[in-house]
Amino acid sequence: MREELDLDMLPETEALATAEGLIDAPLLHRGKVRELYDLGEHLLIVVTDRISAFDYVLDPPVPGKGRVLNELSAWWFAQTADLQPNHVVHTDVALLGDRVRQPERLAGRIMVCRKAKRIDIECVVRGYITGGGWRQYVATGEVNGIKLPPGLRKNSKLDAPIFTPAGKNDVGHDEDIPFAEMARRIGTELAEELRERSLKLFEAGSALCAERRILLADCKFEFGLLDGKVILIDELFTPDSSRFWAEEKYALDIEIDSMDKEPVRTHLARSDWDRNSPPPRLPDAVVAETAARYKEIYRRLTGK
């Protein structure tokens, strides 16, 4: 079984902006939040405390955010392993031995994974009509080419979840595409398999969230191919990849305060930042509130 970490036993005296210099392995990719290192047979993912919004990485990082994301993904991967094979080998920094300097700084932040060939599609599932899906619906009556019933209201629950893929872009926004375009890019058989797997995962995640009085509004998955078979990669049902609503805050026709980095988005939206230049430094109060949000969703989902 996976060793569980108590987040409160890992005091955050210093946020981790990068693991560079702490890992004795080549850095393969530095994303907005995650860093990927090459261990040879396997891949090492380190989840930093960096936070992004509106396609910018913000300053300062949010203490403890990376641990929440990594531990929550690991927990969900374990919950869904019988339903969907995934890339996790282990999450124990001690097993990395002398390849890691200051292992205490990386405890709870690492995931050693099997190497898979990433499928360049974001597999998005929506259970409610909100966010970008709502904007598409208002303009066209459709979401990613899927015709929806007239008269839906913002945040309405859909009769059944819908699969609305996006083409992955490593820089900038992913590109919403209809299913037919996804099939053209990766093949019909694989596209249909990813749609089926995504909808089953969403159903399982929604059911578990409902037990915690949380609504899973929408989420995204990433898949890869390993030895010709589809496996789940990257992260799973985290506040960075999913829109969680507290059941008690659900309402129609409003912007629901989601259980994620909403304090950051709200602060930036209320500021005079033009979104075309480097964003201003986040106030300490916003950073603290955001850190608390991430820990709260972890506790509420896992009970730890």
Side-chain angles (χ1 to χ4, degrees):
M1 292 182 61
R2 192 179 70 86
E3 180 183 1
E4 300 285 351
L5 287 184
D6 184 344
L7 296 181
D8 289 330
M9 296 301 290
L10 296 167
E12 302 293 343
T13 57
E14 181 183 359
L16 186 76
T18 180
E20 290 186 76
L22 301 178
I23 307 291
D24 184 17
L27 175 66
L28 293 179
H29 177 70
R30 188 175 193 260
K32 292 175 182 174
V33 176
R34 286 166 177 75
E35 295 176 354
L36 279 61
Y37 294 85
D38 189 356
L39 298 181
E41 179 184 1
H42 295 129
L43 188 70
L44 172 65
I45 299 176
V46 180
V47 190
T48 72
D49 289 331
R50 297 194 298 268
I51 188 165
S52 66
F54 306 112
D55 293 327
Y56 283 87
V57 175
L58 307 171
D59 189 51
V62 176
K65 173 179 176 283
R67 284 192 170 115
V68 168
L69 294 177
N70 191 67
E71 287 294 290
L72 196 52
S73 277
W75 185 80
W76 277 111
F77 279 132
Q79 299 297 313
T80 59
D82 291 341
L83 176 65
Q84 170 60 56
N86 59 65
H87 66 170
V88 180
V89 176
H90 72 80
T91 58
D92 188 351
V93 70
L95 296 180
L96 295 175
D98 59 8
R99 302 193 78 161
V100 173
R101 305 176 187 88
Q102 302 179 40
E104 68 282 355
R105 295 192 64 198
L106 299 180
R109 298 182 179 279
I110 69 102
M111 188 173 288
V112 174
C113 304
R114 294 180 289 165
K115 289 182 175 179
K117 177 177 173 54
R118 187 184 78 176
I119 302 169
D120 290 334
I121 297 289
E122 288 276 7
C123 292
V124 180
V125 180
R126 303 177 189 273
Y128 293 76
I129 185 72
T130 195
W134 169 250
R135 290 189 290 273
Q136 287 187 56
Y137 174 74
V138 169
T140 67
E142 302 178 347
V143 179
N144 288 54
I146 300 172
K147 187 72 174 178
L148 295 180
L152 294 178
R153 295 164 63 183
K154 185 176 183 178
N155 306 332
S156 292
K157 185 176 183 179
L158 299 171
D159 290 339
I162 57 174
F163 179 72
T164 59
K168 281 196 63 62
N169 290 318
D170 288 327
V171 178
H173 287 294
D174 295 330
E175 171 196 3
D176 289 327
I177 56 175
F179 181 79
E181 172 60 18
M182 174 181 172
R184 187 192 69 79
R185 293 187 186 189
I186 67 172
T188 300
E189 184 177 352
L190 180 56
E192 290 177 345
E193 179 178 354
L194 295 186
R195 178 172 60 185
E196 180 181 359
R197 290 179 182 272
S198 297
L199 290 169
K200 286 182 177 179
L201 279 168
F202 185 85
E203 180 182 7
S206 295
L208 196 149
C209 285
E211 294 174 5
R212 275 74 168 167
R213 299 186 63 239
I214 294 171
L215 304 179
L216 179 60
D218 50 48
C219 65
K220 61 182 180 180
F221 309 109
E222 289 194 30
F223 294 93
L225 292 172
L226 182 66
D227 298 329
K229 296 183 178 179
V230 171
I231 66 170
L232 189 61
I233 63 172
D234 195 49
E235 59 184 322
L236 181 60
F237 294 134
T238 72
D240 279 9
S241 67
S242 308
R243 193 189 314 259
F244 296 114
W245 291 333
E247 187 180 277
E248 63 272 16
K249 291 189 176 182
Y250 176 70
L252 296 172
D253 306 321
I254 67 168
E255 286 292 334
I256 299 175
D257 188 10
S258 54
M259 304 173 74
D260 54 16
K261 53 188 173 186
E262 191 66 27
V264 170
R265 287 192 292 263
T266 299
H267 167 73
L268 292 175
R270 292 175 177 172
S271 72
D272 58 3
W273 176 48
D274 61 11
R275 300 194 189 182
N276 294 312
S277 58
R281 183 178 176 86
L282 296 173
D284 291 345
V286 172
V287 173
E289 184 182 356
T290 303
R293 287 282 184 101
Y294 276 77
K295 284 192 174 183
E296 176 58 25
I297 187 63
Y298 176 85
R299 291 192 180 99
R300 192 154 169 173
L301 283 170
T302 69
K304 300 184 184 300

